[in-house]
Amino acid sequence: MKRQIKRQIAGCLAVLMMASAGAFPAMADEWDRSEDGKHWMYFDYSGEPLMDEWIEVNGKTYYLDAKGYMKTGWVTNQGEGTRHYMGEDGAMLTNTFTPDNRYVGPDGAIVEAYDNYRKKVKAEVKKALKTKSKKKSSGAAASGGERKRYFLLTDLNQDGYQDIVVTERTAQEEANTIQTAAAVAAGRGVAFEQLGASLGISQAQALGQFITDGNLIEIAVWDPEEGKFQLAAEFDETGEGERSTLYQDPGGQGIWLEIREDEENLRIFQMEMDTSRFESMWSFSLKLDEWGGALYCLNGSEEDKAYWDMTMAEARQAVGNMPLSGYQEATDENVAALVDLLLTEDELGMWQ
């Protein structure tokens, strides 16, 4: 800060120097109350209060206004044009969240880009929760009962920023997930309720490791230049029994999206690097002709079964078998827990 004054207190040394020089006694730099007792002030060696200054005392930064009063709450550094939050003790907050949920960096200034990102994540997930389900079904029994929505924050296009996936799962799918997790817990020799603790994560995070598919609602990719999410895919309507799964490329070169009706009818897309676009790669379908014979269609064209089988095998090898996991139920608390995080030094550089 241009106007910041850094003061080092060396009381003992100062007293010794004054005594040896026969100087008049002088007050050391210190805090004291204002005459009315309502404010803290900082007085220099001559006993004069410092006014309209940023000072550093014992490694902490404070601001004294034009009257010399120590300020708390939000203060604007007029020289730099930045805002800083001074805690109840007057010390500037750094590398943390303020009481009103703004993020401040090591210099105490608001990290605007990170605040904007966190706000947009919460708004995007909330918007996806309001999207009405358009899944084709013949009732709750056919669709597996009541559905819940889950979200995942993950870097889909490998640009360093976390993107959003929102999916929908039925109560039956929930029950299957719990059953699978319970079996894993038993295999580890712990109770189901202790699975998260045994893995060093929360119970909700542990269950999320077993959620890999569902009916995707939305995929949105963060655009750092525009400072907003770009819609990569939105699933307005899905057929009965259709599943949507995102896979990590076996070679770590991106993300695959598979939309599957059954073993013979599926579409495969690949996320383009550093973009928000999915490129259609393969479309497989098995139809019956008017005589009940099988028609093997690849990307809309009829092919012989041998070529169709070979191409599907190649596609499955390219996609691999590493589905993305870690979905969490889309509640305000879960979203905040995953997005309101303290930044490392490397992460801070992304947002400044």
Side-chain angles (χ1 to χ4, degrees), residues 175-205:
N176 293 341
T177 295
I178 292 175
Q179 184 177 12
T180 301
V184 171
R188 296 178 65 88
V190 299
F192 168 70
E193 294 77 11
Q194 299 301 315
L195 177 59
S198 72
L199 296 172
I201 55 179
S202 71
Q203 185 71 355
Q205 289 173 322

Side-chain angles (χ1 to χ4, degrees), residues 19-58:
S20 63
F24 292 106
M27 295 176 60
D29 286 6
E30 63 179 3
W31 291 102
D32 202 354
R33 287 285 188 177
S34 58
E35 290 185 4
D36 60 11
K38 296 181 179 180
H39 306 278
W40 282 104
M41 304 179 71
Y42 196 80
F43 295 85
D44 64 16
Y45 281 93
S46 66
E48 293 297 319
L50 301 182
M51 295 181 287
D52 191 23
E53 292 189 18
W54 295 87
I55 63 172
E56 185 175 306
V57 180
N58 295 330

